Amino acid sequence: MSDTPRDDESEVDLGVSLETVATVVDHIRAVQGEDTNERDAEYEDEDKVSDEDFDEGTLATFIDELNEDEQAALVALAWVGRGDYEPEEWEEAHRLAKERGAGTDTATYLLSMDMAGDLISEGLAAFGIAIEEVER
């Protein structure tokens, strides 16, 4: 990856904004991770309302409202994070995710993946983008 020069750090068009990816990752982790309640208790005044309001149904609606390219990008990022594809194979992964996702429920697919938030985060990391550094 370091052999290919990049004009800027947002070199590859992922087909979805980094803010959207970060939002999905944060909320998938909150929905899938039961131990986040202990962490949330520490920040009760700041985070309580948003975490309680953003349940699995709300997350599914958020993902369903994304366009086809954005949904395919989330799936493709999870596949890259899982090691099914390399960053250099992004266009193929995105194309296949789009083909397979046609007429299906992307939110259900992602939420059925173990540690989907981590997989999507790892997918971004493969492109040199740290999810922790994405502004929300």
Side-chain angles (χ1 to χ4, degrees):
M1 194 161 107
S2 62
D3 295 342
T4 54
R6 308 242 169 153
D7 293 0
D8 61 304
E9 285 304 311
S10 300
E11 65 302 78
V12 175
D13 179 13
L14 297 175
V16 64
S17 75
L18 295 178
E19 182 179 347
T20 297
V21 175
T23 298
V24 170
V25 167
D26 290 345
H27 293 295
I28 285 178
R29 286 176 173 168
V31 167
Q32 288 184 338
E34 298 303 320
D35 62 344
T36 58
N37 290 334
E38 293 174 14
R39 178 186 52 88
D40 290 344
E42 296 177 26
Y43 305 101
E44 191 171 300
D45 294 335
E46 297 171 19
D47 294 336
K48 185 176 180 182
V49 174
S50 63
D51 286 347
E52 287 179 359
D53 290 344
F54 215 93
D55 60 5
E56 188 171 329
T58 306
L59 176 59
T61 299
F62 180 81
I63 293 171
D64 290 342
E65 290 176 352
L66 298 174
N67 68 42
E68 188 177 272
D69 285 329
E70 292 169 322
Q71 290 182 24
L74 292 172
V75 172
L77 282 169
W79 290 348
V80 170
R82 190 168 62 188
D84 297 344
Y85 291 92
E86 294 297 321
E88 297 79 21
E89 301 169 304
W90 175 253
E91 289 184 24
E92 179 184 347
H94 189 265
R95 180 189 52 76
L96 188 58
K98 195 171 178 179
E99 286 176 14
R100 290 186 180 175
T104 63
D105 186 357
T106 301
T108 300
Y109 177 73
L110 288 172
L111 289 167
S112 71
M113 295 176 106
D114 288 336
M115 301 179 66
D118 290 342
L119 293 176
I120 295 169
S121 176
E122 288 298 318
L124 270 185
F127 290 98
I129 303 167
I131 195 80
E132 298 79 17
E133 295 176 10
V134 175
E135 289 190 34
R136 285 138 172 105

